[in-house]
């Protein structure tokens, strides 16, 4: 059996991705302007000139004259269909054959019903859940390759940047909490608040104690720097006691009579006795 006959027996069906520029169909003719024209210029530069990618809408066609895609709506499913390459909201660019699926038309219809239930219009997200993400999911279920990377590269880059920003903000927030907790623990340790205050003290009380501690700590440091050392104080006290002792000795020396004075007093006493 030839390869063609084998494929026909398995009901092999070609899967095609239709790619649009995210701009109204009138923009490419020069009649439109504004955002649509700007997106066309962006896509032509980044996709056609550089090959990086752009801002695109995609849809998948398999079995029949309909393409399937996903978009935002307030109520109901976001999965919708339209004639191939004829979406009036965008400017058609090109079609890409992704491969061939062995899924029957009945299986494809089941897949679409399942996707319609799992992809409500309100769940649409520009960077993380857009039409390109839907088409890739559809391709997975059809067992064919996904869309080329350039189709959704800008959305993936934006989603990655947003995730990095959110992670960085979360880490900064956690670091701030860690620093605050470390400062509070240090304050509690230095002030001895762990033994004098209940463990479930609120944050306002902790901040008040911290402020009081900072003021007391600063005054203590200033006071310590202005106080003389104990050795100097002892030296000064010993010097002052020595000075006082020497003065007392001098006074006692001055008050103590000399030998001549004693002899004179004895003679005066003897004369008085003789008389």
């Amino acid at each position: 059996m030839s390869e063609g006959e084998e494929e026909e027996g398995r009901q092999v069906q070609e899967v095609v991705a239709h790619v649009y520029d995210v701009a109204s169909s009138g923009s490419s003719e020069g009649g439109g302007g504004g955002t649509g024209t700007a997106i066309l210029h962006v896509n032509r530069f980044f996709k056609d000139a550089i090959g990086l990618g752009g801002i695109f809408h995609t849809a998948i066609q398999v079995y029949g004259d309909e393409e399937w895609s996903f978009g935002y709506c307030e109520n109901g499913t976001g999965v919708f269909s339209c004639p191939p390459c004829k979406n009036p909201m965008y400017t058609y660019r090109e079609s890409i054959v992704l491969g061939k699926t062995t899924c029957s038309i009945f299986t494809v219809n089941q897949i679409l019903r399942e996707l319609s239930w799992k992809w409500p219009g309100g769940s649409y997200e520009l960077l993380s859940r857009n039409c390109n993400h839907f088409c890739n999911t559809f391709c997975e279920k059809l067992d064919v390759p996904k869309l080329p990377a350039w189709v959704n590269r800008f959305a993936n880059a934006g989603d990655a940047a947003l995730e990095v920003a959110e992670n960085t903000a979360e880490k900064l927030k956690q670091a701030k909490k860690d620093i605050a907790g470390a400062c509070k623990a240090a304050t509690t340790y230095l002030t001895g608040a762990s033994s004098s205050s209940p463990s479930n003290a609120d944050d306002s009380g902790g901040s008040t104690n911290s402020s009081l501690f900072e003021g007391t700590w600063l005054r203590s440091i200033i006071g310590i720097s202005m106080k003389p050392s104990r050795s100097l104080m002892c030296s000064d006290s010993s010097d002052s006691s020595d000075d006082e002792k020497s003065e007392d000795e001098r006074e006692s020396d001055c008050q103590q009579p000399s030998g001549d004075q004693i002899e004179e007093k004895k003679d005066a006493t003897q004369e008085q006795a003789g008389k």
Side-chain angles (χ1 to χ4, degrees), residues 54-76:
I55 305 173
F56 302 107
H57 170 80
T58 54
I60 299 296
Q61 179 183 2
V62 56
Y63 286 115
D65 294 331
E66 286 182 305
E67 64 177 29
W68 296 88
S69 190
F70 171 72
Y72 172 80
C73 63
E74 293 183 359
N75 301 312

Side-chain angles (χ1 to χ4, degrees), residues 6 17 21 33 45-46 59 65 69 75 80 120 140 158 203 214 220 223 237 247 261 273:
E6 184 179 355
D21 292 305
F45 176 76
F46 284 99
D65 294 331
S69 190
N75 301 312
F80 66 94
E140 284 182 357
D203 295 339
E214 291 174 358
S220 300
S237 61
E247 290 178 0
Q261 291 176 346

Side-chain angles (χ1 to χ4, degrees), residues 111-203:
I111 292 172
L112 287 170
R113 280 195 295 269
E114 178 185 353
L115 293 177
S116 297
W117 179 70
K118 291 184 177 180
W119 289 73
S123 67
Y124 180 92
E125 291 288 343
L126 179 62
L127 299 179
S128 60
R129 193 178 172 85
N130 59 29
C131 58
N132 301 317
H133 296 101
F134 167 81
C135 289
N136 280 334
T137 302
F138 193 10
C139 290
E140 284 182 357
K141 293 186 176 295
L142 294 174
D143 196 22
V144 296
K146 295 182 179 181
L147 299 173
W150 57 263
V151 173
N152 206 32
R153 181 166 289 145
F154 277 21
N156 291 335
D159 189 35
L162 182 61
E163 183 177 358
V164 169
E166 290 177 350
N167 291 338
T168 303
E170 185 65 25
K171 289 180 180 179
L172 289 175
K173 185 178 179 181
Q174 183 62 38
K176 185 178 179 181
K177 288 182 179 180
D178 293 342
I179 292 172
C183 292
K184 187 175 181 180
T187 302
T188 302
Y189 174 77
L190 293 174
T191 56
S194 59
S195 60
S196 60
S197 61
S199 58
N200 59 349
D202 57 5
D203 295 339

